[in-house]
Amino acid sequence: MTLSRRQLLAATAVAGATAAVPGVTATAAPSVVRRDRPALPSGIASGDVTSNSAVVWSRTDRRARMVVDLTSHGRFDRAIRLRGPITSASEDFTAQLPLRGLRPGQRYDYRIGFEDAYGRCGETTEGSFSTPGRNRPVSFVWTGDTAGQGYGINPDFGGMIAYKAMHETRPDFFLHSGDNIYADGPIAAEVKIPDGTVWKNVVTEEVSKVAETLAEYRGRYKYNLLDHNVRDLYADVPIISQWDDHETVNNWYPGEILTDDRYTEKRVDVLAARARRAFLEYLPMVHTAGRNRIYRKVSYGPLLDVFCLDMRTYRGANPAQGVAGPVAMLGAEQAAWLVREVAASKATWKVIASDMPLGVLVPDGAAIEAVANGVAGAPGGREHEIAWVLSQFKRRKVRNTVWLTADVHYCAAHHYDPSRAAFTDFDPFWEIVAGPVNAGTFGPNALDSTFGPRLEFVKAADFPNQPPSGGNQFFGHVAIDPRTEVFTTSLRDLYGKVLWRKDLLPVWG
């Protein structure tokens, strides 16, 4: 694992380039924190880890060059130093460095700092991630809905403690299923709860109103990263990030014009562009196809492929409940990509990471926000597109798909079966719903019979908009055994208590 000087130089990234990292050995700079040198106010993170690649992320407080010390020894005195991009105010001092040429089945420790114009490194922070390998177990957690309904960082409650509960399961990665922030939900110093208690928040100027400017969208991510539970998880556990509506504004769709008096900018397309930029700046992820495309596949070894959907960017306007004709949800290009990539997958399990559930009725006033339209019978509206995807999976003999989602602020397990459905051209599958992780709890919502869902488990709020202190915050956990290839999934509460568990056996042929 020792590199020659020539190999080491070839492996060192220039500004903005991808770093090829086949091994180790180079002397790392010591960790020194000085106020006259670059700091790390938002911690560090890694994301989109595969067998041979990853992305590392951080943010500093001034114009500086990212530097990453990477080792697979656990010893930073034998680390390779990688020089990343120079960041400035135009990126809000965030920086990401893609790494390639990693070894499968390997733990990597990394240390991130930033160098000033004189080459002096400031504050550094250490993190780790592991690449998937053959004959190794896989585990991960998922949830959604962070800092919603005005419930932010409450120091008296220990902050966003569900992140600590997820961290304590020691997962290989964390799938955030959307609503990483609530750009449309101001956070006040206190929230009065119907049960007579008061929820107290850390507040910043940037979260005091709905986000409209790029700075305000960025401020929402910076706010969440003030929480030590979030920062600790992100340093140790790679992220796979999706987005949904609240990264921009509630229930948005392209072309929408807002009537909300809180907004001076009424054009959702303008807001969504700013929101997308902040999302891509603050979350470590592969920028697919050079187009900053959010939908993508993250391969996690022979046992698992994760297919991340984007149910916002390509959707049509939210339709009325009775609309019978097709309405876009994924869009034709993304739907075709999903079918093609899932059918080509060689992994045992194919997780469809969906930012919205398929059979749960989610209204937007008199319109429909999610897939289900609440009308019994043949597919209508957005159900047409999902029906096509499911029928294509059956036609191409796709096996072992599980849909994981969040969005509705309660947890549930649904089994879909054509024997119970109005639309029958598909194979049975499971959909598991988790969340919220730090937001108001609601539910449960009604189920739509078009795809034949059966409710196997549900845990919802004790009363609408219940605060996190009520305990009804939820995340999901998955463990895949490399010997049996059994997919064990569970739903857990704010403190990590297992509420429901199911072993899914792989199907072949």
Side-chain angles (χ1 to χ4, degrees):
M1 296 185 69
T2 300
L3 299 178
S4 68
R5 177 174 174 78
R6 188 174 71 175
Q7 289 171 317
L8 180 61
L9 291 173
T12 303
V14 297
T18 296
V21 188
V24 295
T25 74
T27 301
S31 177
V32 178
V33 180
R34 292 179 51 170
R35 292 183 179 180
D36 63 340
R37 299 187 185 180
L40 301 178
S42 299
I44 64 175
S46 65
D48 282 15
V49 171
T50 72
S51 297
N52 55 21
S53 66
V55 179
V56 292
W57 174 94
S58 190
R59 173 177 167 268
T60 188
D61 60 350
R62 68 197 72 184
R63 179 179 173 84
R65 181 187 294 277
M66 178 187 233
V67 290
V68 179
D69 298 322
L70 186 71
T71 176
S72 56
H73 290 290
R75 290 180 53 186
F76 283 103
D77 62 346
R78 300 193 63 191
I80 182 173
R81 169 150 288 194
L82 305 166
R83 292 187 133 72
I86 296 174
T87 185
S88 66
S90 64
E91 299 86 31
D92 205 23
F93 304 113
T94 63
Q96 302 191 30
L97 184 64
L99 309 174
R100 57 178 174 81
L102 303 177
R103 294 180 174 176
Q106 182 73 58
R107 175 192 165 104
Y108 286 93
D109 298 292
Y110 66 97
R111 180 166 60 198
I112 295 180
F114 286 82
E115 290 180 340
D116 64 16
Y118 302 99
R120 302 175 303 184
C121 190
E123 180 183 2
T124 62
T125 300
E126 297 175 7
S128 64
F129 62 85
S130 295
T131 55
R134 193 168 296 278
N135 300 320
R136 288 179 177 246
V138 174
S139 70
F140 67 93
V141 291
W142 89 95
T143 189
D145 315 304
T146 303
Q149 288 71 51
Y151 299 119
I153 301 167
N154 184 343
D156 295 342
F157 192 57
M160 300 186 189
I161 63 174
Y163 279 86
K164 179 182 178 182
M166 292 191 293
H167 196 178
E168 289 174 345
T169 70
R170 311 309 305 173
D172 291 310
F173 64 87
F174 165 44
L175 169 63
H176 199 300
S177 300
D179 295 340
N180 293 264
I181 61 169
Y182 271 69
D184 56 329
I187 295 175
E190 292 187 351
V191 182
K192 294 181 179 179
I193 312 302
D195 63 8
T197 61
V198 176
W199 177 272
K200 296 182 179 181
N201 287 312
V202 171
V203 295
T204 66
E205 182 178 353
E206 292 160 316
V207 303
S208 64
K209 62 176 290 292
V210 296
E212 299 179 80
T213 68
L214 178 58
E216 289 165 348
Y217 281 110
R218 288 166 167 170
R220 292 288 173 159
Y221 293 95
K222 285 186 280 193
Y223 177 84
N224 289 354
L225 291 168
L226 294 174
D227 184 84
H228 67 93
N229 303 292
V230 175
R231 288 198 311 275
D232 290 349
L233 175 73
Y234 281 15
D236 282 347
V237 180
I239 314 161
I240 299 178
S241 304
Q242 294 179 267
W243 79 339
D244 193 27
D245 56 336
H246 292 288
E247 282 83 3
T248 305
V249 63
N250 186 46
N251 295 353
W252 74 273
Y253 53 83
E256 183 182 6
I257 303 298
L258 297 178
T259 58
D260 190 331
D261 291 338
R262 298 177 301 169
Y263 288 83
T264 57
E265 175 55 71
K266 305 292 188 181
R267 297 167 296 174
V268 165
D269 288 354
V270 173
L271 297 175
R274 295 167 183 166
R276 174 185 286 267
R277 179 169 175 177
F279 175 87
L280 294 172
E281 287 174 338
Y282 272 86
L283 292 166
M285 59 181 287
V286 174
H287 293 188
T288 307
R291 296 186 297 168
N292 292 338
R293 195 180 75 190
I294 293 172
Y295 73 83
R296 65 205 188 279
K297 180 179 82 170
V298 179
S299 296
Y300 206 81
L303 290 174
L304 177 67
D305 280 341
V306 181
F307 300 88
C308 297
L309 303 185
D310 176 358
M311 290 179 156
R312 284 289 149 193
T313 305
Y314 313 101
R315 63 165 54 198
N318 290 345
Q321 182 168 318
V323 170
V327 177
M329 184 63 154
L330 303 173
E333 181 179 323
Q334 183 179 188
W337 166 86
L338 177 62
V339 168
R340 181 176 65 251
E341 293 296 325
V342 172
S345 172
K346 302 299 182 185
T348 304
W349 292 96
K350 295 89 173 169
V351 161
I352 315 299
S354 175
D355 39 298
M356 302 200 78
L358 302 185
V360 177
L361 182 61
V362 184
D364 176 24
I368 295 298
E369 159 68 354
V371 175
N373 66 358
V375 178
R382 294 192 174 113
E383 293 172 336
H384 283 280
E385 208 168 53
I386 299 303
W388 180 82
V389 168
L390 296 177
S391 65
Q392 287 296 310
F393 284 177
K394 177 181 179 181
R395 190 162 293 114
R396 300 184 187 216
K397 294 182 169 51
V398 171
R399 300 290 182 263
N400 307 320
T401 62
V402 181
W403 294 66
L404 302 182
T405 189
D407 182 67
V408 289
H409 294 241
Y410 65 91
C411 71
H414 305 137
H415 183 256
Y416 292 77
D417 195 304
S419 67
R420 298 187 294 267
F423 175 82
T424 62
D425 189 21
F426 69 97
D427 292 323
F429 65 94
W430 284 86
E431 173 188 69
I432 318 296
V433 185
V437 66
N438 197 88
T441 314
F442 295 89
N445 295 19
L447 287 176
D448 184 298
S449 63
T450 298
F451 301 118
R454 181 175 64 202
L455 181 65
E456 299 287 343
F457 174 81
V458 65
K459 184 75 167 66
D462 297 324
F463 55 88
N465 199 18
Q466 186 175 17
S469 51
N472 285 321
Q473 306 284 290
F474 308 108
F475 67 93
H477 181 275
V478 168
I480 307 176
D481 187 319
R483 296 175 298 104
T484 63
E485 299 183 290
V486 171
F487 185 104
T488 300
T489 182
S490 59
L491 290 168
R492 307 186 182 199
D493 70 7
L494 175 69
Y495 303 102
K497 178 183 176 182
V498 176
L499 306 173
W500 175 85
R501 172 179 167 143
K502 182 74 175 181
D503 290 336
L504 305 182
L505 305 180
V507 175
W508 307 107

